[in-house]
Amino acid sequence: MKTTKYFWTLCLLFAAFSFVACSDDDNGNSDELRPSTSMTIDKVFLQDVKSNVPDREVTFARLGQLIRIQGSGFSGLRKVLINGYETYFNNALMTNNNIWVQLKKETPIADADDEVRNTITLIKKNGEMLVYDFIIMASSPSITSVDNTLPKHGETVTVYGDNLQETTLVTLPDGTTITEEDIISDEDGEYYSFVVPASADLSVAGSITSVGANGTAKTPEYFNDNNCYILNFDGLGSMGSWSATYGTDDLVDDPLNTGRGKVCMLIPQSKLDDGGIDAGSNSLLWATAGNDEPTDDWTSRMYQFIPEETLASDVAIQFDIYVPGEWFESGQLEFSLQNNLSNYGYGSGCTKFSSQYINTAAVWVPWLNEDGTTTPFTTGGRWQTITLPLSKFGNYNPDTATKDADKATAAETTFQKVCEDRNSGSYRNFLMLFVNADLEFSEDKIFASSTFSQPIYIDNIRVVNIKSIPVSDFDDEEEE
């Protein structure tokens, strides 16, 4: 609907948001705000160069998007308000018939005053004002992670992301639907969760699709993904065995009896009974069989599920973990994509970019936050999924490179390069171990290790494609 509203509406608007149109004395303009007799808005277009329709007429737009307002009489425009929020526009690009406006993410949506919600307001230097009714929506919902991606019937799955408010429908890859009464939806839109129904076919892999107040979202296609195992300790993937490793005799039954079969006890019970892992020491290795084992040649079996050209940042090592107690301020979990570790732990050389060596290690420290603060980690009475992107591993981690060229090299790494690096090594065993070294977060923040004797269980180590799946608001857009 297009309308020019009366002056009393304008007064209420500006009283609420403290926007006052100033005069331009040089042009004889007035401070008085009054309905426009010269401006009109005919249509609004979404500007998206990535779209099949880069200049699309729309009846709504989302925060963060660029719109083109088409009409007449825009010369002398002074302010653009979206939902009452003053929004920048470029005078140099504006014409008498078109205005380009980027919708700021700070623009209020639910918190906007009733009088200005879903409106575009234009104010000219001479005090003319036009209010145009137009739907403003929050940014599209997006997914950041999923816990748990290999669930059993009756287990809880939590999907994390942004703008997931009021999720009312969830569809699993096999077509099973979960409706509003069985979904827990976070008021801030940071997650939704549900219990996997007994009717779901968990042999079907793919995306979880959700519908909420801000639209439709899809997870990456790794839910129920059993295709690219490294080790599941029940016959998928082959364990290596030599003097530096634990073996099949050290595996244990799933302590939660969820049906996961055999699992890895990261520090075997015999070692815990002897006092655990001393400060400054490491556990033995949990490893795959290596060079002569076909399942350790990722190129022969993973490219059919993860295309070679997929960026390393869109591929991850995923595993399930059960920590019944509190893991806190000592101990790290280290992975390496091949058996070439020469140093260990957080910040070690093998976890950083190198132009001389093939570094393929990463360290996961669940109790350490990004800002250096710490939080005890536990999964309570359940298994939890952890996703560790390959862009966190050694030469594929741009954050550990110091030169711009090296950062670009790391960021452009493909899954094919990762596989080629593994196959080029003398030993292509995948490794996992518990490291109990001191952790130096910064020069003035060092966490001294202590003897560690907590049980930690790990299962289902796998490679998954974590590429996000955008969902268009428009039927004629193809998903990429």
Side-chain angles (χ1 to χ4, degrees):
M1 182 176 68
K2 311 171 185 66
T3 180
T4 301
K5 300 195 175 179
Y6 295 104
F7 180 65
W8 64 267
T9 303
L10 174 65
C11 294
L12 179 59
L13 169 68
F14 279 79
F17 292 93
S18 300
F19 293 128
V20 178
C22 299
S23 63
D24 186 336
D25 295 333
D26 292 338
N27 294 321
N29 293 329
S30 169
D31 282 341
E32 181 183 8
L33 298 170
R34 58 186 183 274
S36 176
T37 57
S38 63
M39 287 188 294
T40 64
I41 294 178
D42 301 325
K43 298 177 180 179
V44 177
F45 293 82
L46 177 64
Q47 309 287 278
D48 184 359
V49 295
K50 297 180 180 179
S51 170
N52 297 332
V53 185
D55 186 49
R56 179 194 298 272
E57 183 182 354
V58 290
T59 57
F60 69 92
R62 295 183 181 276
L63 301 189
Q65 292 182 330
L66 176 66
I67 60 173
R68 175 174 67 85
I69 303 170
Q70 178 178 292
S72 62
F74 297 150
S75 295
L77 186 67
R78 184 177 184 186
K79 287 185 179 181
V80 175
L81 308 179
I82 307 293
N83 280 7
Y85 187 86
E86 186 169 356
T87 304
Y88 172 79
F89 68 97
N90 192 329
N91 277 305
L93 295 178
M94 186 191 77
T95 70
N96 191 54
N97 300 104
N98 290 281
I99 313 162
W100 284 265
V101 178
Q102 188 90 36
L103 302 184
K104 292 186 177 181
K105 295 191 176 183
E106 298 81 5
T107 304
I109 302 293
D111 295 337
D113 187 273
D114 289 343
E115 292 293 330
V116 297
R117 186 180 296 124
N118 292 325
T119 63
I120 299 172
T121 303
L122 307 181
I123 300 173
K124 297 181 74 169
K125 293 179 181 179
N126 64 5
E128 290 185 36
M129 178 198 75
L130 174 69
V131 178
Y132 182 82
D133 292 335
F134 183 78
I135 297 172
I136 307 296
M137 300 178 66
S139 301
S140 297
S142 61
I143 307 300
T144 55
S145 64
V146 180
D147 170 33
N148 136 30
T149 63
L150 288 181
K152 304 297 181 181
H153 293 119
E155 291 188 341
T156 297
V157 174
T158 302
V159 177
Y160 295 93
D162 298 305
N163 300 314
L164 298 171
Q165 289 94 336
E166 300 176 26
T167 297
T168 56
L169 179 66
V170 170
T171 304
L172 303 184
D174 71 322
T176 297
T177 58
I178 298 102
T179 51
E180 184 174 7
E181 60 271 16
D182 295 318
I183 300 169
I184 297 174
S185 186
D186 175 48
E187 290 183 359
D188 295 326
E190 294 180 355
Y191 69 87
Y192 65 83
S193 65
F194 60 90
V195 174
V196 178
S199 59
D201 184 352
L202 300 182
S203 68
V204 180
S207 297
I208 301 172
T209 303
S210 60
V211 178
N214 298 312
T216 300
K218 283 190 173 184
T219 71
E221 295 182 331
Y222 53 50
F223 190 69
N224 295 333
D225 187 352
N226 289 277
N227 293 313
C228 298
Y229 269 106
I230 297 173
L231 282 172
N232 82 334
F233 308 109
D234 287 297
L236 294 177
S238 180
M239 288 182 62
S241 180
W242 65 92
S243 60
T245 69
Y246 297 118
T248 55
D249 291 343
D250 296 298
L251 297 175
V252 299
D253 294 325
D254 173 9
L256 293 179
N257 297 312
T258 63
R260 283 174 170 81
K262 292 292 184 181
V263 302
C264 156
M265 193 171 188
L266 187 61
I267 305 170
Q269 189 61 52
S270 59
K271 185 65 176 177
L272 296 181
D273 292 341
D274 288 339
I277 302 293
D278 292 335
S281 299
N282 302 334
S283 73
L284 296 182
L285 306 173
W286 294 90
T288 58
N291 292 11
D292 297 327
E293 169 55 43
T295 57
D296 264 313
D297 181 3
W298 292 5
T299 61
S300 67
R301 64 190 187 93
M302 293 190 184
Y303 285 168
Q304 58 182 313
F305 304 107
I306 304 175
E308 297 98 307
E309 67 273 11
T310 307
L311 290 176
S313 56
D314 286 330
V315 183
I317 301 298
Q318 209 168 65
F319 60 96
D320 299 329
I321 188 168
Y322 166 50
V323 181
E326 288 192 348
W327 183 354
F328 190 48
E329 293 197 349
S330 189
Q332 309 159 37
L333 180 55
E334 182 156 4
F335 297 95
S336 182
L337 305 185
Q338 61 170 268
N339 186 3
N340 65 347
L341 289 178
S342 59
N343 43 68
Y344 303 88
Y346 182 92
S348 62
C350 290
T351 67
K352 296 180 179 180
F353 180 91
S354 172
S355 58
Q356 297 178 308
Y357 304 101
I358 297 177
N359 290 334
T360 63
V363 173
W364 180 64
V365 188
W367 48 265
L368 181 65
N369 302 319
E370 291 185 1
D371 61 358
T373 60
T374 59
T375 306
F377 177 81
T378 181
T379 66
R382 60 184 290 266
W383 285 92
Q384 180 174 328
T385 298
I386 304 299
T387 302
L388 195 59
L390 292 184
S391 54
K392 297 294 185 183
F393 284 74
N395 282 7
Y396 323 127
N397 186 348
D399 294 337
T400 62
T402 56
K403 298 178 181 178
D404 289 343
D406 292 339
K407 288 181 180 293
T409 297
E412 294 165 2
T413 300
T414 63
F415 184 54
Q416 180 177 4
K417 179 65 167 63
V418 174
C419 293
E420 290 174 350
D421 283 351
R422 290 193 77 245
N423 289 340
S424 71
S426 299
Y427 306 98
R428 67 182 181 214
N429 317 79
F430 176 90
L431 305 181
M432 175 179 68
L433 72 155
F434 183 86
V435 175
N436 204 21
D438 294 348
L439 190 155
E440 182 177 344
F441 180 80
S442 61
E443 290 184 1
D444 58 353
K445 185 171 288 188
I446 299 174
F447 299 94
S449 59
S450 59
T451 300
F452 191 91
S453 57
Q454 295 276 357
I456 299 171
Y457 303 90
I458 290 176
D459 197 18
N460 297 326
I461 307 170
R462 55 213 186 262
V463 182
V464 296
N465 190 331
I466 61 171
K467 187 174 182 179
S468 62
I469 301 178
V471 178
S472 175
D473 288 317
F474 309 104
D475 293 337
D476 60 353
E477 291 286 351
E478 295 182 3
E479 293 178 5
E480 297 182 0

